[in-house]
Amino acid sequence: MKEISSFLLVWLTALLSFGQTDAAKKDTLFEKSVNGLVRFYYDDHYYLVDKDCAFKSIERLSQFIVAKNAFHGEFKDFDRNGTLVLTGYYNEGVKEGDFKAYHPNGTLKWETTFKENRPSGDWKYYYPDGKPLLTVNFDSTAGTISSFWDRLGRQRVVNGEGNYEFKMPFEFYNEYGFPFFERKGKIKNGLPSGYWTTNMVDEKNKKVLFTEEVYDKNGVLTEGFNLFQDRSYRVPLTIVPSQSFVIGERMLFKACSFDDYSGFNAYLSDKLNGAFAANPSFQNTEEDFAYRVSLSKEGEPELITLSQPLKTTALNKYLEMVVKDIPYYFPSLDEQGEPIEDTLTVSGKLRVSEAGVFNFHSLKVEREKQP
């Protein structure tokens, strides 16, 4: 994942003034459209991708103020079938007025109103059949749940009081290999209260208890315990749907590979950086490294070896310890989309600053058998 805001200013200036540049032809993240609009290309998490990338899912038509690196005026987002999925308005990069999102079948998915870049009043969510799902109120500083209906149409939360049980997808890679998590507990005064649980959920709706939590009367987490990692925590998972469209405002770019798209490379970089504290003994170095993983079709690593150790040999044993602590990789797929055994080569770079701060970056995953 790369922040492209700095070169976006130069690139867009050239693009809007003189037409498409040679650089844009190599990696087209946006291009001129009609009536002074610009067409942006995103994946479904709102990271910019090349227009021909297999993970391109959304196209945005909007005015764009190059000098302020900001969207302006009404915008419309369309999926790969040309169906409208989101519309709203920016005033020089600031969200203002009504925003509406749509399900693939064209029914309203959610609607809210922004004032000076913040949601105001009710944020209403709907099921694909048009029935109400959830209402989150933003009259106060933090959002509160005022209403919730389950899939059978039963209202479970009324005026901020009731029982809440909602399944949400993991947006990116997680170490546990589950695509969904389910949050369950009581709502009081619009906030979580008392005992709450999180279940991991697989494609067949099999559930495994993941966390247990306790909230006080003000909706503040007082106890949280991760059963998978056998440790306490203080920052809980969300209890309402997250909205990735705001990522599009940051102009972040992802390379066109599954491990970039899925968030695995970003996860691995964060894991390595978190494991290595600053150490003044190691300064001003830039080194390459690589390791190989024999992977089962379930995504479980069976053998890990350093194929290109760091030149600073004292660091290799720590590097090996960290990568052997990764319990799950996305499995490789054959031409029919079925998981297969494979061997992965994970490569990257380590940069150590003058202060001894470690930065693992430019992670790349190569799969031997996946076409």
Side-chain angles (χ1 to χ4, degrees):
M1 182 179 68
K2 300 178 181 178
E3 177 82 55
I4 70 164
S5 298
S6 57
F7 73 78
L8 178 67
L9 180 62
V10 176
W11 195 358
L12 267 173
T13 300
L15 174 63
L16 300 181
S17 301
F18 307 108
Q20 188 168 321
T21 65
D22 289 340
K25 290 178 182 177
K26 295 177 182 177
D27 215 357
T28 306
L29 310 179
F30 40 78
E31 55 191 352
K32 287 196 300 184
S33 187
V34 298
N35 300 323
L37 300 177
V38 181
R39 188 182 299 272
F40 293 82
Y41 302 106
Y42 295 107
D43 67 13
D44 53 4
H45 303 305
Y46 278 88
Y47 288 87
L48 288 165
V49 293
D50 180 76
K51 65 178 294 186
D52 297 320
C53 178
F55 302 112
K56 186 201 75 175
S57 298
I58 297 167
E59 296 187 10
R60 169 170 292 185
L61 279 173
S62 175
Q63 296 181 57
F64 192 84
I65 302 175
V66 176
K68 295 189 175 183
N69 195 36
F71 296 111
H72 181 65
E74 182 184 17
F75 74 90
K76 292 183 178 180
D77 293 350
F78 301 88
D79 66 15
R80 55 169 53 94
N81 297 316
T83 302
L84 183 68
V85 293
L86 179 65
T87 185
Y89 185 89
Y90 284 93
N91 181 14
E92 298 186 354
V94 177
K95 292 183 286 294
E96 291 283 358
D98 295 336
F99 277 59
K100 294 184 178 182
Y102 299 88
H103 289 286
N105 66 1
T107 61
L108 191 62
K109 183 177 183 179
W110 58 256
E111 58 183 338
T112 192
T113 300
F114 281 90
K115 292 183 179 179
E116 297 181 351
N117 225 33
R118 298 180 62 87
S120 176
D122 288 338
W123 192 316
K124 297 180 179 180
Y125 297 83
Y126 305 90
Y127 287 106
D129 62 3
K131 293 180 180 178
L133 187 163
L134 177 68
T135 300
V136 182
N137 183 266
F138 286 92
D139 286 339
S140 60
T141 303
T144 57
I145 294 175
S146 56
S147 304
F148 169 70
W149 291 261
D150 65 20
R151 290 189 174 274
L152 297 178
R154 298 172 298 188
Q155 187 168 2
R156 306 294 299 276
V157 177
V158 181
N159 296 325
E161 306 284 332
N163 296 310
Y164 186 81
E165 184 176 344
F166 192 56
K167 184 171 76 172
M168 289 170 277
F170 280 104
E171 294 292 336
F172 299 109
Y173 168 89
N174 68 84
E175 292 184 332
Y176 315 109
F178 287 85
F180 305 99
F181 65 95
E182 179 187 74
R183 303 284 276 131
K184 184 177 181 180
K186 287 188 176 297
I187 298 292
K188 278 192 171 185
N189 298 318
L191 299 170
S193 178
Y195 178 71
W196 274 65
T197 60
T198 307
N199 285 313
M200 293 292 192
V201 186
D202 67 11
E203 294 90 343
K204 298 179 180 180
N205 210 37
K206 179 182 177 181
K207 301 178 183 180
V208 179
L209 185 61
F210 175 43
T211 72
E212 295 181 295
E213 301 170 340
V214 178
Y215 291 84
D216 67 16
K217 62 181 181 180
N218 297 313
V220 176
L221 179 68
T222 58
E223 298 178 42
F225 193 80
N226 184 320
L227 280 78
F228 281 30
Q229 298 182 350
D230 193 28
R231 65 176 180 84
S232 299
Y233 61 88
R234 297 305 301 270
V235 180
L237 291 171
T238 182
I239 64 171
V240 298
S242 59
Q243 299 303 329
S244 57
F245 79 91
V246 296
I247 295 175
E249 302 167 7
R250 299 173 57 193
M251 298 298 167
L252 298 174
F253 161 69
K254 279 191 175 181
C256 190
S257 74
F258 178 76
D259 291 286
D260 273 295
Y261 164 76
S262 66
F264 175 76
N265 288 348
Y267 154 83
L268 183 56
S269 179
D270 289 342
K271 188 175 182 69
L272 288 166
N273 290 333
F276 284 76
N279 189 330
S281 300
F282 304 98
Q283 297 176 319
N284 296 325
T285 62
E286 177 89 34
E287 302 182 24
D288 296 327
F289 71 93
Y291 67 92
R292 289 170 60 84
V293 183
S294 297
L295 196 66
S296 74
K297 64 180 180 179
E298 288 78 25
E300 298 173 351
E302 296 178 340
L303 179 65
I304 297 177
T305 56
L306 291 182
S307 53
Q308 183 178 355
L310 292 166
K311 293 179 181 178
T312 309
T313 56
L315 296 175
N316 283 316
K317 66 176 181 179
Y318 299 106
L319 174 62
E320 193 169 17
M321 287 172 57
V322 177
V323 298
K324 286 185 175 180
D325 191 45
I326 299 171
Y328 173 78
Y329 293 73
F330 288 110
S332 296
L333 306 177
D334 61 17
E335 293 181 351
Q336 288 72 44
E338 296 296 323
I340 56 175
E341 296 179 353
D342 201 355
T343 299
L344 280 56
T345 298
V346 182
S347 60
K349 296 179 180 293
L350 167 63
R351 180 185 299 122
V352 185
S353 70
E354 292 183 2
V357 177
F358 289 73
N359 179 24
F360 288 86
H361 64 97
S362 303
L363 278 298
K364 181 181 179 182
V365 178
E366 296 177 279
R367 297 169 182 267
E368 288 188 0
K369 295 181 182 178
Q370 183 163 298

